[in-house]
Amino acid sequence: TCTIKNGGCDLNAGCSHDNATNAVVCTCKTGYTNTGVAPAVTCSDSCSLNNGGCDPNAECSHQREDFSVVCNCRVGFINVGTTNLVNCSDGCYVNNGGCGVNAVCSHNLTTMVIQCTCMTGYTNSGNGTALVCTDSCEVNNGGCDSSAACSHDSVTFAVVCSCSIGFV
């Protein structure tokens, strides 16, 4: 009976027979979950139900080969779990998002892409693609005049320029 209209099973279910009773047994295919009530089997895309069991900060999709569920962390999040048990954490909470110790990690509010910005008192001395936060006083004397000494405010670490002796 499985050869006729899939034995009455859902289109996304496989049809087989119980060995003892020869009754039709419907089993949802990989990537689908039974949302029906016994004995009826209704197979729904697993990603449409509870995000396929993926982390709330992951996107659920399917393997092309067998339609099994695949979880991938959304932009701005990093998998701190395993390949099979994806656990997405805010990328800024993992190694400061790769921003470095003298940088602040944040997210673009539109795309959630990680953004690195040098902390107060530091200047980006890297090239266009790599942020390198260097003490501002070491880069062009912190913007201070050549006859001034560059230092930092003890509370805010902002650059403070002080005239050298004999200068006003």
Side-chain angles (χ1 to χ4, degrees):
T1 57
C2 284
T3 57
I4 301 169
K5 293 186 180 181
N6 198 28
C9 294
D10 187 280
L11 293 175
N12 295 313
C15 177
S16 62
H17 294 278
D18 182 278
N19 288 337
T21 66
N22 205 32
V24 170
V25 176
C26 303
T27 308
C28 292
K29 294 177 183 176
T30 300
Y32 292 91
T33 302
N34 182 10
T35 56
V37 179
V41 173
T42 303
C43 301
S44 301
D45 182 336
S46 296
C47 286
S48 67
L49 304 168
N50 195 28
N51 199 28
C54 295
D55 185 278
N57 293 310
E59 293 181 0
C60 180
S61 61
H62 297 282
Q63 288 276 6
R64 196 176 332 186
E65 302 81 27
D66 63 1
F67 209 66
S68 60
V69 169
V70 177
C71 304
N72 289 306
C73 294
R74 296 179 195 278
V75 173
F77 291 86
I78 295 173
N79 182 14
V80 294
T82 64
T83 303
N84 295 328
L85 187 59
V86 174
N87 181 6
C88 302
S89 180
D90 183 328
C92 286
Y93 296 149
V94 180
N95 196 27
N96 196 29
C99 292
V101 295
N102 297 320
V104 175
C105 180
S106 63
H107 295 278
N108 177 296
L109 296 178
T110 304
T111 64
M112 285 302 290
V113 169
I114 288 178
Q115 296 177 317
C116 303
T117 310
C118 292
M119 292 192 285
T120 301
Y122 291 89
T123 301
N124 181 8
S125 61
N127 60 30
T129 58
L131 182 80
V132 178
C133 298
T134 305
D135 183 326
S136 295
C137 289
E138 295 176 16
V139 179
N140 295 325
N141 199 31
C144 298
D145 186 83
S146 60
S147 300
C150 179
S151 62
H152 296 282
D153 182 90
S154 61
V155 177
T156 66
F157 207 67
V159 168
V160 175
C161 300
S162 304
C163 293
S164 301
I165 296 173
F167 291 89
V168 179

